[in-house]
Amino acid sequence: MMAIPQSVFHSDAETHLTRSRLHIRILALRDLVRRCVLKQVSPELLTGGVFQISFGMKFEEDGPVPVPETDSASERVIGQLVAIIYNSMIDGTWARFKCCALPTCGWAYYDTTKSRTKRWCSMRTCGARSKARRYYERPR
């Protein structure tokens, strides 16, 4: 009869704990980015301890690109988000990041409109809900 290693019994709990920690870090990053986009806090807070990822530089024709140096797939995802934020601050597009005007939404989006006046992440869902709510709240 073959013995089952003890690590088999603990791997699910450890995996769940690791995912929970990662989930907390991602939520903290999301909250911090949202507060920065809404201009409630300074983007300088992004350098805080929410994530501690080392970056290398990849040189391309368009210029250097920060690349997260980690073996963890989840850390790479967080690192890529941080790199996107960094690049948007460098190239001046950070001001186009906005948060949906619908209070129950919570999504951030990139405003691609020429006038920079987009209010909702999606006109089909949040924009339609907001307009419908205003319509039904009107006195008749």
Side-chain angles (χ1 to χ4, degrees):
M1 180 177 216
M2 190 165 107
I4 300 173
Q6 278 297 105
S7 62
V8 170
F9 297 111
H10 298 291
S11 64
D12 286 341
E14 290 171 9
T15 301
H16 179 70
L17 184 61
T18 302
R19 286 182 181 164
S20 294
R21 287 182 184 144
L22 174 64
H23 188 248
I24 289 168
R25 289 179 67 209
I26 290 173
L27 290 177
L29 175 62
R30 182 188 70 179
D31 179 58
L32 186 56
V33 169
R34 181 173 174 74
R35 289 173 43 213
C36 289
V37 168
L38 291 171
K39 295 178 179 43
Q40 294 174 343
V41 297
S42 168
E44 292 173 2
L45 292 178
L46 290 170
T47 57
V50 175
F51 39 79
Q52 295 175 351
I53 300 170
S54 297
F55 286 89
M57 294 304 276
K58 180 178 167 185
F59 294 93
E60 297 181 352
E61 288 183 24
D62 297 336
V65 177
V67 179
E69 294 179 335
T70 178
D71 293 332
S72 166
S74 56
E75 293 286 328
R76 277 194 306 274
V77 169
I78 292 173
Q80 288 171 346
L81 291 172
V82 172
I84 290 168
I85 292 167
Y86 169 79
N87 287 332
S88 71
M89 288 179 172
I90 296 297
D91 67 15
T93 57
W94 175 251
R96 286 186 170 262
F97 282 96
K98 297 183 178 181
C99 290
C100 186
L102 190 68
T104 57
C105 176
W107 278 76
Y109 62 91
Y110 183 77
D111 186 358
T112 57
T113 62
K114 188 175 182 179
S115 62
R116 299 181 184 191
T117 56
K118 188 173 177 180
R119 294 190 58 208
W120 300 286
C121 62
S122 167
M123 189 58 205
R124 284 186 179 160
T125 54
C126 293
R129 288 176 188 160
S130 180
K131 289 181 175 189
R133 184 176 295 120
R134 279 197 319 242
Y135 176 79
Y136 285 112
E137 288 175 350
R138 279 192 236 166
R140 295 183 185 175

